Amino acid sequence: MQDISKYYSGVRHKRLMLLVGLSIILFFVAVVGFMVGPVFISPGVVLKILASQIPKLGDGIVQTWPNTYNTIVLDVRLPRVIVGMLVGIGLSVAGCGMQGLFRNPMASPYVSGISSGGAFGAALAVNIGAIYYLVPLFAFVFSSATVFLVYTISRVRGKVSMETLLLSGIAVASFFSALVSLMMYLSAEKLESIVFWMMGGFWASGWDEVIILLPFLVLCIPIYVFLSRDLNALLLGEQDAQDLGINVEATKRFILVLTALLVGACVAVSGTIGFVGLIIPHITRIIVGPDHKVLIPACIFTGGIFMILTDIIARMIIQPSELPVGIITSLFGVPFFLYLLRRRKTSMGW
Amino acid sequence: MELQVSSLDFGYFTKNVLKNISFTARSGEVFGIVGPNGSGKTTLLKCLRMALVPKRGKIKLDGEDITKWDRTEIAKYFGVVPQNTNISFPFTVLEIVMMGRIPHLGRMQSEGKEDIEIVKRAMKLTAISDLYYRYASNLSGGEVQRVIIARALAQQPKILLLDEPTSNLDINHQFETMKLIRYLAKKENMIVVIISHDLNLSMRYCDNLLLLDGGKVFSAGRPEDVLTSENIRKVYGVEARIDYNTAIKSNQITLIDVVE
């Protein structure tokens, strides 16, 4: 029999290698994201342009490419890839947290009605003819508020039943969807911008969006890592988790607040991109197992990789125009989702 | 160490499920809770570790009131083996048992050598050392039961609470589990509180018994004084004969028939 201590450090080593591998893949995918578009830029030039921005290291690089390439890479593709990555990270980590909390494979960051709330906020902003920044602000406020509304509804004598939360989330989501439809019906001339927003995409993404998103991720993601043991224990059931010293109700509150902030920010910046928060945690769980200590860091990489990839496809597929990335994620997402439904209750653990 | 419960009441709404429960369990003792279905055994076990908050009464550990303790503090003292734990996720046995270290570890602290040694020992005591790399979701009911006992032991508790730990086990593992429980009480000086439906096992392996009926203490004391044919008839409505069996050096209960 192999020694347990050795086995234990072996597992840790393997996990670390997996994370390193995923981070390398993320880097390469990002480089591809800088290369492709209406103008193709070779990977060598991309790396040189990026390196030339680093003080000292960049001084020795001689520019052999047109100046417009600098603008394309640094001002257009770099922020777009970063926004895509951040949204992918936010949605997949939030999804991971919600699935752990609900112990339900169907849970996604959107189950608490957050996306419908956000869509309602955005539609409202568009309808009152709001200036540009009010759309993400309204989307954020309404999506976050929806989570708190659903939480308050499901709270009975200090305890929240996850089943009630799921049901009331679906109910509230339907309510907001109906309101969105109503607004779309009543103001046909604004239909296009609402629909565009709801399909989700990164076409308007620049450094402003990076600046909006980054603080939310920097604030929220470490807390998820912080809560990974709690989420692990919760997978064994609420009573077991409590007996292991976990404050179950506080963990629920934390995860819901984090979801509200993180997903609210993502929805505000990129619209309601579907399926990322549902399928990426599942794929990642298949790769690294159910332990949140590795699952959450791995979701950071896989979420980023998936989102950058789908955005590349979205902007390549009907050149010179582009598709909303939400369409691509669902086109990839639905077949996988159906596959999940087929193999449920096998090795996935649901 | 002494776990002292005095005049404990518990109820979900206005109706009390537990009424005026008092008892004391001491280190080195296996303390059994018996009683018919719905008599409040599991509810009492939940109250002991503050998973349910009693309406009235005190729970004291060496004179200290535990009702003010936080979850982590309670988990450092109380190890729990619930009636059934459904492990559906592909965690390895080692990962599950390691979860027993949660109350002792800081949030960002990773498991060290000492934790691994404690976990190894817990797995050795419960005879699951060979299973450490297996997925707990693929194990038999009895094996899962022992994994959960190991997880509770990894908490290094002073009090071990077990809710029908032998219900999923074959006769061999029933004996092994009861012997382990006695070992933990006698050699590790734990307070072991165990709920069991098996009156013969309770008679033989418990030092003291609490017989509950309708949320009240019907009888308490040494097993041979609590599990009398008169008490069994009154509480369970079953006719029983009790003989001393020299082979096991304990009283043996033979259940005859339902009382007409």
Short mmCIF file of all heavy atoms in Angstrom, two decimals, chain A residues 251-304:
data_model
loop_
_atom_site.label_atom_id
_atom_site.label_comp_id
_atom_site.label_asym_id
_atom_site.label_seq_id
_atom_site.Cartn_x
_atom_site.Cartn_y
_atom_site.Cartn_z
N THR A 251 -22.65 31.19 5.38
CA THR A 251 -22.05 30.82 4.09
C THR A 251 -23.03 31.08 2.95
O THR A 251 -22.65 31.63 1.91
CB THR A 251 -21.64 29.34 4.09
OG1 THR A 251 -20.80 29.12 5.23
CG2 THR A 251 -20.88 28.98 2.83
N LYS A 252 -24.30 30.73 3.16
CA LYS A 252 -25.32 30.99 2.14
C LYS A 252 -25.38 32.48 1.83
O LYS A 252 -25.40 32.88 0.66
CB LYS A 252 -26.70 30.55 2.65
CG LYS A 252 -26.93 29.06 2.66
CD LYS A 252 -28.32 28.80 3.18
CE LYS A 252 -28.53 27.33 3.49
NZ LYS A 252 -29.78 27.10 4.23
N ARG A 253 -25.43 33.29 2.89
CA ARG A 253 -25.52 34.73 2.68
C ARG A 253 -24.32 35.25 1.90
O ARG A 253 -24.46 36.02 0.95
CB ARG A 253 -25.61 35.46 4.04
CG ARG A 253 -27.02 35.56 4.58
CD ARG A 253 -27.09 36.63 5.65
NE ARG A 253 -26.27 36.28 6.82
CZ ARG A 253 -26.67 35.48 7.80
NH1 ARG A 253 -27.85 34.94 7.77
NH2 ARG A 253 -25.87 35.23 8.81
N PHE A 254 -23.13 34.78 2.31
CA PHE A 254 -21.91 35.21 1.64
C PHE A 254 -21.96 34.90 0.15
O PHE A 254 -21.70 35.74 -0.70
CB PHE A 254 -20.69 34.49 2.25
CG PHE A 254 -19.93 35.33 3.22
CD1 PHE A 254 -19.86 34.99 4.55
CD2 PHE A 254 -19.28 36.47 2.79
CE1 PHE A 254 -19.16 35.77 5.46
CE2 PHE A 254 -18.57 37.26 3.69
CZ PHE A 254 -18.52 36.92 5.03
N ILE A 255 -22.30 33.64 -0.16
CA ILE A 255 -22.28 33.21 -1.56
C ILE A 255 -23.30 34.03 -2.37
O ILE A 255 -23.02 34.45 -3.49
CB ILE A 255 -22.61 31.70 -1.67
CG1 ILE A 255 -21.51 30.87 -1.00
CG2 ILE A 255 -22.79 31.27 -3.12
CD1 ILE A 255 -20.20 30.83 -1.72
N LEU A 256 -24.46 34.28 -1.76
CA LEU A 256 -25.47 35.04 -2.50
C LEU A 256 -25.05 36.48 -2.72
O LEU A 256 -25.24 37.04 -3.80
CB LEU A 256 -26.82 34.97 -1.77
CG LEU A 256 -27.49 33.60 -1.85
CD1 LEU A 256 -28.70 33.54 -0.94
CD2 LEU A 256 -27.92 33.29 -3.29
N VAL A 257 -24.45 37.11 -1.71
CA VAL A 257 -23.97 38.48 -1.87
C VAL A 257 -22.88 38.52 -2.95
O VAL A 257 -22.88 39.39 -3.84
CB VAL A 257 -23.44 39.04 -0.53
CG1 VAL A 257 -22.70 40.35 -0.76
CG2 VAL A 257 -24.58 39.25 0.45
N LEU A 258 -21.96 37.54 -2.90
CA LEU A 258 -20.89 37.49 -3.89
C LEU A 258 -21.46 37.33 -5.29
O LEU A 258 -21.02 37.98 -6.24
CB LEU A 258 -19.94 36.33 -3.58
CG LEU A 258 -19.05 36.49 -2.35
CD1 LEU A 258 -18.31 35.20 -2.06
CD2 LEU A 258 -18.06 37.62 -2.56
N THR A 259 -22.46 36.44 -5.41
CA THR A 259 -23.09 36.23 -6.72
C THR A 259 -23.72 37.52 -7.21
O THR A 259 -23.56 37.90 -8.38
CB THR A 259 -24.17 35.14 -6.62
OG1 THR A 259 -23.59 33.99 -6.01
CG2 THR A 259 -24.71 34.76 -7.98
N ALA A 260 -24.42 38.20 -6.31
CA ALA A 260 -25.09 39.44 -6.69
C ALA A 260 -24.08 40.46 -7.23
O ALA A 260 -24.31 41.08 -8.27
CB ALA A 260 -25.85 40.01 -5.50
N LEU A 261 -22.97 40.62 -6.52
CA LEU A 261 -21.98 41.61 -6.93
C LEU A 261 -21.27 41.19 -8.22
O LEU A 261 -21.17 41.95 -9.18
CB LEU A 261 -20.93 41.79 -5.82
CG LEU A 261 -21.43 42.38 -4.50
CD1 LEU A 261 -20.32 42.41 -3.47
CD2 LEU A 261 -21.96 43.79 -4.73
N LEU A 262 -20.78 39.95 -8.21
CA LEU A 262 -19.95 39.48 -9.31
C LEU A 262 -20.75 39.36 -10.60
O LEU A 262 -20.38 39.90 -11.65
CB LEU A 262 -19.38 38.11 -8.91
CG LEU A 262 -18.13 37.61 -9.59
CD1 LEU A 262 -17.03 38.64 -9.48
CD2 LEU A 262 -17.67 36.31 -8.91
N VAL A 263 -21.87 38.66 -10.52
CA VAL A 263 -22.68 38.45 -11.72
C VAL A 263 -23.36 39.75 -12.13
O VAL A 263 -23.49 40.04 -13.32
CB VAL A 263 -23.70 37.31 -11.49
CG1 VAL A 263 -24.53 37.09 -12.73
CG2 VAL A 263 -22.96 36.04 -11.11
N GLY A 264 -23.75 40.54 -11.14
CA GLY A 264 -24.32 41.85 -11.44
C GLY A 264 -23.37 42.68 -12.28
O GLY A 264 -23.76 43.27 -13.29
N ALA A 265 -22.10 42.69 -11.91
CA ALA A 265 -21.10 43.45 -12.65
C ALA A 265 -20.90 42.88 -14.05
O ALA A 265 -20.81 43.62 -15.04
CB ALA A 265 -19.78 43.48 -11.89
N CYS A 266 -20.83 41.54 -14.15
CA CYS A 266 -20.63 40.90 -15.46
C CYS A 266 -21.80 41.20 -16.39
O CYS A 266 -21.62 41.53 -17.56
CB CYS A 266 -20.50 39.38 -15.30
SG CYS A 266 -18.96 38.88 -14.54
N VAL A 267 -23.02 41.06 -15.84
CA VAL A 267 -24.22 41.31 -16.64
C VAL A 267 -24.26 42.77 -17.09
O VAL A 267 -24.59 43.08 -18.23
CB VAL A 267 -25.48 40.94 -15.81
CG1 VAL A 267 -26.73 41.52 -16.42
CG2 VAL A 267 -25.60 39.43 -15.70
N ALA A 268 -23.86 43.67 -16.21
CA ALA A 268 -23.88 45.09 -16.55
C ALA A 268 -22.95 45.38 -17.72
O ALA A 268 -23.27 46.18 -18.59
CB ALA A 268 -23.47 45.91 -15.33
N VAL A 269 -21.80 44.73 -17.75
CA VAL A 269 -20.80 45.02 -18.77
C VAL A 269 -21.09 44.32 -20.10
O VAL A 269 -20.89 44.88 -21.16
CB VAL A 269 -19.39 44.64 -18.24
CG1 VAL A 269 -18.39 44.54 -19.36
CG2 VAL A 269 -18.96 45.66 -17.20
N SER A 270 -21.59 43.07 -20.01
CA SER A 270 -21.65 42.28 -21.24
C SER A 270 -23.02 41.72 -21.56
O SER A 270 -23.15 40.91 -22.48
CB SER A 270 -20.65 41.13 -21.15
OG SER A 270 -20.99 40.32 -20.06
N GLY A 271 -24.05 42.11 -20.82
CA GLY A 271 -25.36 41.53 -21.06
C GLY A 271 -25.47 40.14 -20.47
O GLY A 271 -24.57 39.70 -19.75
N THR A 272 -26.58 39.45 -20.77
CA THR A 272 -26.77 38.15 -20.16
C THR A 272 -26.23 37.04 -21.05
O THR A 272 -26.93 36.50 -21.89
CB THR A 272 -28.26 37.89 -19.87
OG1 THR A 272 -28.97 38.14 -21.09
CG2 THR A 272 -28.77 38.80 -18.80
N ILE A 273 -24.96 36.73 -20.84
CA ILE A 273 -24.33 35.65 -21.59
C ILE A 273 -24.69 34.33 -20.91
O ILE A 273 -24.37 34.12 -19.74
CB ILE A 273 -22.81 35.83 -21.65
CG1 ILE A 273 -22.48 37.13 -22.40
CG2 ILE A 273 -22.14 34.64 -22.30
CD1 ILE A 273 -21.03 37.52 -22.32
N GLY A 274 -25.37 33.47 -21.65
CA GLY A 274 -25.89 32.26 -21.06
C GLY A 274 -24.89 31.13 -21.00
O GLY A 274 -23.86 31.15 -21.69
N PHE A 275 -25.19 30.16 -20.14
CA PHE A 275 -24.55 28.85 -20.12
C PHE A 275 -23.11 28.78 -19.60
O PHE A 275 -22.68 27.72 -19.19
CB PHE A 275 -24.59 28.18 -21.49
CG PHE A 275 -25.87 27.44 -21.71
CD1 PHE A 275 -26.82 27.89 -22.60
CD2 PHE A 275 -26.14 26.29 -20.98
CE1 PHE A 275 -28.02 27.22 -22.77
CE2 PHE A 275 -27.32 25.62 -21.14
CZ PHE A 275 -28.26 26.08 -22.04
N VAL A 276 -22.38 29.92 -19.63
CA VAL A 276 -20.99 29.85 -19.14
C VAL A 276 -20.97 29.42 -17.68
O VAL A 276 -20.25 28.50 -17.28
CB VAL A 276 -20.28 31.21 -19.29
CG1 VAL A 276 -18.85 31.13 -18.80
CG2 VAL A 276 -20.33 31.66 -20.72
N GLY A 277 -21.82 30.08 -16.88
CA GLY A 277 -21.86 29.80 -15.45
C GLY A 277 -22.40 28.42 -15.14
O GLY A 277 -22.25 27.92 -14.03
N LEU A 278 -23.07 27.81 -16.11
CA LEU A 278 -23.61 26.47 -15.88
C LEU A 278 -22.63 25.40 -16.31
O LEU A 278 -22.32 24.47 -15.56
CB LEU A 278 -24.92 26.32 -16.66
CG LEU A 278 -25.61 24.97 -16.54
CD1 LEU A 278 -26.20 24.78 -15.15
CD2 LEU A 278 -26.71 24.83 -17.58
N ILE A 279 -22.09 25.53 -17.54
CA ILE A 279 -21.31 24.40 -18.06
C ILE A 279 -19.84 24.43 -17.66
O ILE A 279 -19.25 23.38 -17.48
CB ILE A 279 -21.43 24.27 -19.60
CG1 ILE A 279 -20.82 25.48 -20.28
CG2 ILE A 279 -22.83 24.03 -20.03
CD1 ILE A 279 -20.49 25.22 -21.73
N ILE A 280 -19.26 25.62 -17.52
CA ILE A 280 -17.83 25.64 -17.20
C ILE A 280 -17.52 24.99 -15.85
O ILE A 280 -16.59 24.18 -15.76
CB ILE A 280 -17.27 27.08 -17.30
CG1 ILE A 280 -17.32 27.54 -18.76
CG2 ILE A 280 -15.85 27.16 -16.79
CD1 ILE A 280 -16.50 26.68 -19.71
N PRO A 281 -18.30 25.26 -14.80
CA PRO A 281 -18.02 24.54 -13.55
C PRO A 281 -18.14 23.02 -13.72
O PRO A 281 -17.36 22.27 -13.13
CB PRO A 281 -19.09 25.07 -12.59
CG PRO A 281 -19.45 26.41 -13.12
CD PRO A 281 -19.32 26.29 -14.61
N HIS A 282 -19.09 22.58 -14.55
CA HIS A 282 -19.23 21.14 -14.77
C HIS A 282 -18.02 20.55 -15.47
O HIS A 282 -17.49 19.52 -15.06
CB HIS A 282 -20.49 20.83 -15.59
CG HIS A 282 -21.74 20.90 -14.79
ND1 HIS A 282 -21.90 20.19 -13.62
CD2 HIS A 282 -22.88 21.59 -14.95
CE1 HIS A 282 -23.09 20.44 -13.12
NE2 HIS A 282 -23.70 21.30 -13.91
N ILE A 283 -17.60 21.21 -16.54
CA ILE A 283 -16.42 20.71 -17.27
C ILE A 283 -15.23 20.67 -16.32
O ILE A 283 -14.48 19.69 -16.27
CB ILE A 283 -16.10 21.63 -18.47
CG1 ILE A 283 -17.24 21.61 -19.48
CG2 ILE A 283 -14.80 21.22 -19.15
CD1 ILE A 283 -17.06 22.57 -20.63
N THR A 284 -15.07 21.73 -15.54
CA THR A 284 -13.94 21.83 -14.64
C THR A 284 -14.00 20.74 -13.57
O THR A 284 -12.98 20.14 -13.22
CB THR A 284 -13.90 23.22 -13.98
OG1 THR A 284 -14.17 24.20 -14.98
CG2 THR A 284 -12.55 23.49 -13.38
N ARG A 285 -15.20 20.46 -13.09
CA ARG A 285 -15.36 19.42 -12.08
C ARG A 285 -14.95 18.05 -12.65
O ARG A 285 -14.37 17.23 -11.94
CB ARG A 285 -16.82 19.38 -11.60
CG ARG A 285 -16.96 19.01 -10.15
CD ARG A 285 -18.38 19.15 -9.66
NE ARG A 285 -18.67 20.46 -9.12
CZ ARG A 285 -19.52 21.32 -9.67
NH1 ARG A 285 -20.18 21.02 -10.74
NH2 ARG A 285 -19.70 22.50 -9.11
N ILE A 286 -15.24 17.84 -13.92
CA ILE A 286 -14.83 16.58 -14.55
C ILE A 286 -13.30 16.50 -14.59
O ILE A 286 -12.72 15.45 -14.35
CB ILE A 286 -15.43 16.45 -15.97
CG1 ILE A 286 -16.95 16.28 -15.88
CG2 ILE A 286 -14.80 15.28 -16.72
CD1 ILE A 286 -17.65 16.38 -17.23
N ILE A 287 -12.65 17.64 -14.84
CA ILE A 287 -11.19 17.63 -14.94
C ILE A 287 -10.53 17.50 -13.57
O ILE A 287 -9.64 16.67 -13.39
CB ILE A 287 -10.66 18.93 -15.62
CG1 ILE A 287 -11.30 19.10 -17.01
CG2 ILE A 287 -9.14 18.90 -15.75
CD1 ILE A 287 -11.01 20.45 -17.66
N VAL A 288 -10.94 18.30 -12.60
CA VAL A 288 -10.19 18.37 -11.34
C VAL A 288 -10.89 17.75 -10.14
O VAL A 288 -10.28 17.65 -9.07
CB VAL A 288 -9.78 19.83 -10.99
CG1 VAL A 288 -9.00 20.46 -12.11
CG2 VAL A 288 -10.99 20.67 -10.64
N GLY A 289 -12.15 17.34 -10.27
CA GLY A 289 -12.84 16.76 -9.12
C GLY A 289 -13.62 17.80 -8.34
O GLY A 289 -13.60 18.98 -8.68
N PRO A 290 -14.34 17.36 -7.28
CA PRO A 290 -15.29 18.25 -6.62
C PRO A 290 -14.69 19.17 -5.55
O PRO A 290 -15.38 20.02 -5.01
CB PRO A 290 -16.26 17.27 -5.96
CG PRO A 290 -15.43 16.06 -5.69
CD PRO A 290 -14.38 15.99 -6.76
N ASP A 291 -13.40 19.01 -5.23
CA ASP A 291 -12.80 19.79 -4.14
C ASP A 291 -12.66 21.26 -4.55
O ASP A 291 -11.90 21.59 -5.46
CB ASP A 291 -11.43 19.19 -3.79
CG ASP A 291 -10.80 19.89 -2.61
OD1 ASP A 291 -11.32 20.93 -2.18
OD2 ASP A 291 -9.78 19.38 -2.11
N HIS A 292 -13.40 22.14 -3.85
CA HIS A 292 -13.41 23.55 -4.23
C HIS A 292 -12.05 24.24 -4.08
O HIS A 292 -11.83 25.28 -4.66
CB HIS A 292 -14.47 24.31 -3.42
CG HIS A 292 -15.86 24.01 -3.86
ND1 HIS A 292 -16.55 22.92 -3.40
CD2 HIS A 292 -16.67 24.63 -4.75
CE1 HIS A 292 -17.74 22.90 -3.98
NE2 HIS A 292 -17.84 23.92 -4.80
N LYS A 293 -11.17 23.64 -3.28
CA LYS A 293 -9.86 24.26 -3.12
C LYS A 293 -9.11 24.31 -4.45
O LYS A 293 -8.30 25.20 -4.69
CB LYS A 293 -9.02 23.49 -2.08
CG LYS A 293 -9.25 24.00 -0.67
CD LYS A 293 -8.43 23.21 0.33
CE LYS A 293 -9.08 21.89 0.62
NZ LYS A 293 -8.34 21.02 1.50
N VAL A 294 -9.36 23.34 -5.30
CA VAL A 294 -8.74 23.35 -6.64
C VAL A 294 -9.76 23.73 -7.70
O VAL A 294 -9.43 24.33 -8.72
CB VAL A 294 -8.04 22.01 -6.95
CG1 VAL A 294 -9.02 20.87 -6.91
CG2 VAL A 294 -7.34 22.05 -8.28
N LEU A 295 -11.04 23.42 -7.42
CA LEU A 295 -12.10 23.68 -8.41
C LEU A 295 -12.24 25.17 -8.70
O LEU A 295 -12.35 25.57 -9.87
CB LEU A 295 -13.42 23.10 -7.88
CG LEU A 295 -14.63 23.19 -8.80
CD1 LEU A 295 -14.38 22.51 -10.12
CD2 LEU A 295 -15.85 22.57 -8.13
N ILE A 296 -12.21 25.99 -7.67
CA ILE A 296 -12.40 27.43 -7.89
C ILE A 296 -11.23 28.05 -8.66
O ILE A 296 -11.45 28.71 -9.67
CB ILE A 296 -12.71 28.15 -6.56
CG1 ILE A 296 -14.15 27.80 -6.16
CG2 ILE A 296 -12.56 29.66 -6.69
CD1 ILE A 296 -14.52 28.19 -4.78
N PRO A 297 -9.97 27.79 -8.24
CA PRO A 297 -8.87 28.31 -9.06
C PRO A 297 -8.92 27.79 -10.50
O PRO A 297 -8.68 28.55 -11.44
CB PRO A 297 -7.62 27.79 -8.35
CG PRO A 297 -8.04 27.54 -6.96
CD PRO A 297 -9.47 27.15 -7.01
N ALA A 298 -9.28 26.51 -10.65
CA ALA A 298 -9.34 25.95 -12.00
C ALA A 298 -10.44 26.63 -12.83
O ALA A 298 -10.27 26.87 -14.02
CB ALA A 298 -9.57 24.44 -11.94
N CYS A 299 -11.57 26.94 -12.18
CA CYS A 299 -12.67 27.64 -12.86
C CYS A 299 -12.23 29.02 -13.36
O CYS A 299 -12.74 29.51 -14.37
CB CYS A 299 -13.87 27.81 -11.93
SG CYS A 299 -15.03 26.45 -12.05
N ILE A 300 -11.32 29.64 -12.62
CA ILE A 300 -10.81 30.94 -13.06
C ILE A 300 -10.19 30.80 -14.45
O ILE A 300 -10.46 31.58 -15.36
CB ILE A 300 -9.78 31.50 -12.05
CG1 ILE A 300 -10.48 31.80 -10.73
CG2 ILE A 300 -9.07 32.73 -12.61
CD1 ILE A 300 -9.54 32.22 -9.61
N PHE A 301 -9.37 29.75 -14.61
CA PHE A 301 -8.69 29.55 -15.89
C PHE A 301 -9.65 29.06 -16.97
O PHE A 301 -9.69 29.60 -18.07
CB PHE A 301 -7.54 28.57 -15.74
CG PHE A 301 -6.45 29.10 -14.85
CD1 PHE A 301 -6.13 28.46 -13.66
CD2 PHE A 301 -5.75 30.25 -15.19
CE1 PHE A 301 -5.14 28.96 -12.84
CE2 PHE A 301 -4.75 30.77 -14.37
CZ PHE A 301 -4.45 30.11 -13.19
N THR A 302 -10.45 28.04 -16.64
CA THR A 302 -11.33 27.48 -17.67
C THR A 302 -12.37 28.51 -18.12
O THR A 302 -12.68 28.60 -19.31
CB THR A 302 -12.05 26.22 -17.17
OG1 THR A 302 -12.63 26.50 -15.90
CG2 THR A 302 -11.09 25.05 -17.03
N GLY A 303 -12.89 29.29 -17.16
CA GLY A 303 -13.87 30.33 -17.51
C GLY A 303 -13.25 31.35 -18.45
O GLY A 303 -13.86 31.73 -19.45
N GLY A 304 -12.02 31.77 -18.12
CA GLY A 304 -11.33 32.73 -18.98
C GLY A 304 -11.07 32.16 -20.36
O GLY A 304 -11.35 32.80 -21.39
#
